[in-house]
Amino acid sequence: MAGEIAEVSLQHTWDALAHQPESVLIDVRTVPEWQFVGLPNLAPIGKQVITISWAHYPNVPNHSFVDEVVAAGIDPDAPVYLLCRSGARSRSAAAALQQRGFSHCFNVTEGFEGAADGAGHRLGGWKGAGLPWHQS
C-alpha cells in the first residue's frame, strides 16, 4: 500500500546520490525546460540524470510515465529522487511510482528552479543552491 511521499532537501538529494550507488535522479520536467532552463549535472559524482516527462509540453499528461521508468531499467527497490521545477509534478510522479511498487521514492522539494518570488522570478532550487547544472 502506498504511503506518504518523503520530501527531501536539495542537499539531502545530492548527498544520497553521491553516496548511494544505486540511487537515481529522475527529472520529470518537459523537453523545453531541459533544453532552455537546464539540467542537473551529476557527472561530478559519476552519474547521469534520467529525463522522463511527467507531462508533455504544454500540459499533456504522459500516461506512460511509469512504463518509461520501468523501461529505463530502474530497480523498484532503489532510492528514486524526483525533481521538477518547484516540487509539485515530482510529488505526483513519486506517488505514481510508489503505487506501482517502487518502494523508496523521494520528492525533491525545492525543484530545479524553486518557487516564484513576488515578481514571478525563480531564483532558488537546484540552480540557486549552486549545485552542478548545465544548459544546452
Side-chain angles (χ1 to χ4, degrees), residues 27 29-41 49 51 83 112-113 126-127 133-136:
D27 187 325
R29 295 175 300 141
T30 63
V31 172
E33 288 173 296
W34 300 326
Q35 291 177 338
F36 301 113
V37 180
L39 279 166
N41 179 5
V49 64
T51 54
L83 176 86
F112 190 69
E113 296 179 81
W126 188 281
K127 290 172 75 172
W133 65 282
H134 59 90
Q135 189 171 16
S136 58

Side-chain angles (χ1 to χ4, degrees), residues 68-101:
E68 291 177 41
V69 171
V70 170
I74 299 170
D75 182 344
D77 292 322
V80 178
Y81 294 84
L82 294 111
L83 176 86
C84 66
R85 180 180 63 192
S86 61
R89 287 175 285 177
S90 52
R91 185 179 309 106
S92 297
L97 289 176
Q98 193 176 64
Q99 288 174 352
R100 281 279 297 272

Side-chain angles (χ1 to χ4, degrees), residues 24-59:
V24 297
L25 177 66
I26 302 175
D27 187 325
V28 305
R29 295 175 300 141
T30 63
V31 172
E33 288 173 296
W34 300 326
Q35 291 177 338
F36 301 113
V37 180
L39 279 166
N41 179 5
L42 303 183
I45 56 174
K47 293 187 175 187
Q48 291 186 332
V49 64
I50 297 166
T51 54
I52 303 173
S53 293
W54 174 247
H56 300 294
Y57 183 82
N59 193 21

